[in-house]
Amino acid sequence: MDNKKLQELVEEISITFFQRPFRHQAYFNPRLRSTGGRYLLSNHNIEINKRYFELFGEKELIGIIKHELCHYHLHLEGKGYQHRDADFKYLLKEVGAPRFCTPLPDSKKRKASKRILVYICGDCSQVYKRKRAINTAKYVCGKCRGKLIKVKELTEG
């Protein structure tokens, strides 16, 4: 499927399920990694992750398009278009759009291998385990204000 066919599919789904035309651009964005699609508030375009179509087929693609069209039509109408809004949740149910897309197989691998950084206070030996690196020149021990030292980096999974 190319961008032209995607555009036609989005326009068709918009008329069929929303009874409103889609008057902007829909295209595949190869840079999308962790999401199936994205509605751009600035120019009202819709970007789709082509990998979802390649891995899961047209049914998943249609679900992603419906989801993004919910954002699109609600935003243009001035209603609640965000995931937390009641208008958005209601319209998702109305058109049979998924709230979330199926996770990509490689995203599970990335989440499984978590790194843990271990820091220790040089004065009181308090241990700190963190997922993100700490700037040891800027931050000190919360217990005694001593200097933090990076001890090791563990990877789980």
Side-chain angles (χ1 to χ4, degrees), residues 33-34 51 104-114:
R33 292 277 175 248
S34 61
R51 287 199 57 211
L104 289 170
D106 65 335
S107 65
K108 290 178 186 171
K109 290 178 193 171
R110 266 186 267 139
K111 287 181 182 175
S113 60
K114 295 179 183 174

Side-chain angles (χ1 to χ4, degrees), residues 38-87:
R38 165 166 81 175
Y39 166 64
L40 303 170
L41 295 171
S42 58
N43 58 14
H44 309 293
N45 291 342
I46 291 177
E47 297 178 338
I48 301 292
N49 185 340
K50 194 170 190 171
R51 287 199 57 211
Y52 277 85
F53 173 64
E54 292 165 351
L55 290 172
F56 302 114
E58 194 169 355
K59 185 178 179 188
E60 182 76 16
L61 178 67
I62 289 169
I64 292 167
I65 292 169
K66 284 182 186 178
H67 178 101
E68 299 310 324
L69 282 172
C70 287
H71 289 297
Y72 173 81
H73 288 297
L74 289 169
H75 180 245
L76 292 179
E77 290 174 21
K79 294 181 179 176
Y81 61 88
Q82 295 179 335
H83 288 112
R84 66 175 178 246
D85 295 325
D87 291 333

Side-chain angles (χ1 to χ4, degrees), residues 21-32:
F22 176 72
R23 293 197 169 106
H24 293 85
Q25 292 296 305
Y27 50 89
F28 290 112
N29 181 348
R31 292 182 310 276
L32 290 180

Side-chain angles (χ1 to χ4, degrees), residues 98-122:
R99 182 118 187 256
F100 305 103
C101 54
T102 308
L104 289 170
D106 65 335
S107 65
K108 290 178 186 171
K109 290 178 193 171
R110 266 186 267 139
K111 287 181 182 175
S113 60
K114 295 179 183 174
R115 74 175 191 159
I116 297 176
L117 303 165
V118 181
Y119 297 88
I120 193 164
C121 174

